[in-house]
Amino acid sequence: MNSPKHIKRSPQAKLVLGIESSCDECAAAVVTDDYQILASSVHSQEEVHSDYGGVVPELASRDHVRNVSEVTSDALAEAGAKPRDLSGVAVTAGPGLMGSLLVGLSFGKAFAYRFGLPMVGVHHLAGHLAAAELARPDLKRPYLGLVVSGGHTALYEVTEKKPPFLLGETRDDAVGEAFDKVAVLLGLPFPGGPSLARLADEGDEQAISFPRPLSNKPGLDFSYSGLKTSVALEVKSYGREMTRKEKADVAASFQAAATDVLVARSISALKKTKLRQLAVVGGVAANQRLRRSLGEAGNRLGFEVFAPPVSLCTDNAVMIAAAGAASLIAGEDDGLSLSAFSRVPLGLAPWRQDE
Ligand code: KG4
Ligand code: ZN
């Protein structure tokens, strides 16, 4: 299908519309091709999933359908931009929940077709890494990327030319998933990660010595299911409703174990690769205990830590627009046959036919 020919681009069109719908945030943003943020609109689905303690895929897709158009018009209005001012659209093509991805992708296609714009698919994790590069222009490749979210826990060597190289990843649960599951064990409201982090502020992180899985073993992989089981056994051992202080101690001790492992593995990866800059991205990068511990380790060992502001750690469309901008400037257009991929390694773009 060819794009309509009758729409004239503004000669100064250098703006990118980003759309993100891979999980439970429906977001749109407008970013300039030199990474200035003009607008960001995020609709979170907290109320939709709160009764279930986790994201319900079908409910997520339906909510994206209800909101994708509005977040896009909100972002364009906030940016003071018309569709003809855009140089292209960047949409998350994977990984994520298939139904949710398809909503953003289908909307992006319809929008791009209607306004005769090129559209590129963006890998969600490339988006998270782009958030660090956008927020911290002094972050220069090559650097170590620690990606910590609800679905991923991985270390990448991010270089200028080649796709990011995977150094290690979780063998089971993602760290964000562990935060969310422990929050459910403690009866905390959804979304679990931020609720748990708030309660942990009231607790003593040395109260319980939870395991730091794999942190003393060679290699750069992670494992979180054993830690989660230890917390479950600890909670069960009370045999009664825990007091708020007891819960806070469990939360703080779990948070310390979960984040200490990320710090230890990052230090090992920096030593192995001889890199001096670490970018920590993804929803769990919003965690203050993690940011603090990485910062302290950086000061002690002489490496720099770059973390985006919290609003760019959790899912948003600024990061997707930023990650897609370079491809659009390079003249790429994935076209209307672009597909969604629920699982796809970072560095692969199976939606780009010539790769
Ligand atoms: O990147 P993200 O928004 O979505 C995915 O790509 O998964 O990450 C969401 C994850 C959830 O597991 C959430 O509980 C966790 O990030 N999270 C946090 C915090 N804020 C969000 N975990 C720990 N502390 C936080 N402050
Ligand atoms: Zn994410």
Side-chain angles (χ1 to χ4, degrees), residues 4-275:
K5 295 272 184 288
H6 59 279
I7 294 158
K8 269 199 178 153
R9 304 256 69 73
S10 307
Q12 72 279 21
K14 289 273 197 280
L15 309 183
V16 176
L17 172 68
I19 299 173
E20 156 62 37
S21 70
S22 65
C23 190
D24 59 341
E25 262 86 28
C26 189
V30 180
V31 169
T32 64
D33 63 353
D34 59 351
Y35 278 9
Q36 304 301 313
I37 304 170
L38 297 190
S40 174
S41 175
V42 182
H43 167 81
S44 291
Q45 300 184 345
E46 283 168 24
E47 280 175 22
V48 176
H49 305 292
S50 59
D51 286 350
Y52 306 92
V55 177
V56 183
E58 178 60 21
L59 297 183
S61 332
R62 291 182 197 196
D63 203 65
H64 285 303
V65 171
R66 280 192 289 272
N67 290 289
V68 67
S69 177
E70 197 172 323
V71 291
T72 304
S73 46
D74 285 354
L76 288 168
E78 190 189 331
K82 299 264 181 300
R84 68 187 205 93
D85 300 325
L86 299 171
S87 51
V89 183
V91 185
T92 307
L97 301 172
M98 183 49 91
S100 294
L101 286 167
L102 284 172
V103 176
L105 207 62
S106 308
F107 181 84
K109 282 184 190 178
F111 189 98
Y113 179 67
R114 165 65 182 84
F115 296 108
L117 294 166
M119 182 176 78
V120 292
V122 170
H123 193 289
H124 184 76
L125 301 190
H128 276 304
L129 288 166
E133 297 186 10
L134 171 141
R136 306 291 302 267
D138 42 339
L139 171 64
K140 297 275 180 269
R141 299 184 189 194
Y143 63 84
L144 182 71
L146 172 64
V147 181
V148 281
S149 70
H152 295 88
T153 308
L155 282 161
Y156 293 95
E157 185 169 355
V158 184
T159 58
E160 194 59 63
K161 297 229 162 64
K162 294 191 204 116
F165 179 73
L166 180 66
L167 296 162
E169 64 183 332
T170 184
R171 296 179 184 175
D172 39 57
D173 292 354
V175 60
E177 192 181 352
F179 267 88
D180 294 337
K181 287 179 176 167
V182 169
V184 171
L185 289 172
L186 294 175
L188 302 176
F190 178 87
S195 305
L196 188 137
R198 271 193 302 277
L199 182 62
D201 284 343
E202 300 170 25
D204 171 7
E205 67 174 46
Q206 282 166 358
I208 304 145
S209 170
F210 286 125
R212 269 82 173 145
L214 298 184
S215 61
N216 294 323
K217 298 254 167 65
L220 294 171
D221 280 348
F222 301 88
S223 168
Y224 279 98
S225 67
L227 172 58
K228 180 193 65 192
T229 306
S230 298
V231 178
L233 291 174
E234 174 70 22
V235 169
K236 207 170 163 209
S237 74
Y238 287 84
R240 56 167 170 78
E241 179 61 26
M242 293 164 70
T243 65
R244 185 170 176 90
K245 173 73 174 99
E246 286 164 347
K247 286 185 181 181
D249 284 349
V250 170
S253 303
F254 160 77
Q255 178 178 256
T259 53
D260 279 352
V261 175
L262 298 173
V263 177
R265 285 311 216 200
S266 300
I267 293 171
S268 302
L270 287 162
K271 284 189 182 145
K272 186 173 173 185
T273 56
K274 304 202 168 31
L275 295 168

Side-chain angles (χ1 to χ4, degrees), residues 308-323:
V310 167
S311 61
L312 294 182
C313 288
T314 47
D315 285 351
N316 64 87
V318 168
M319 66 186 201
I320 302 303

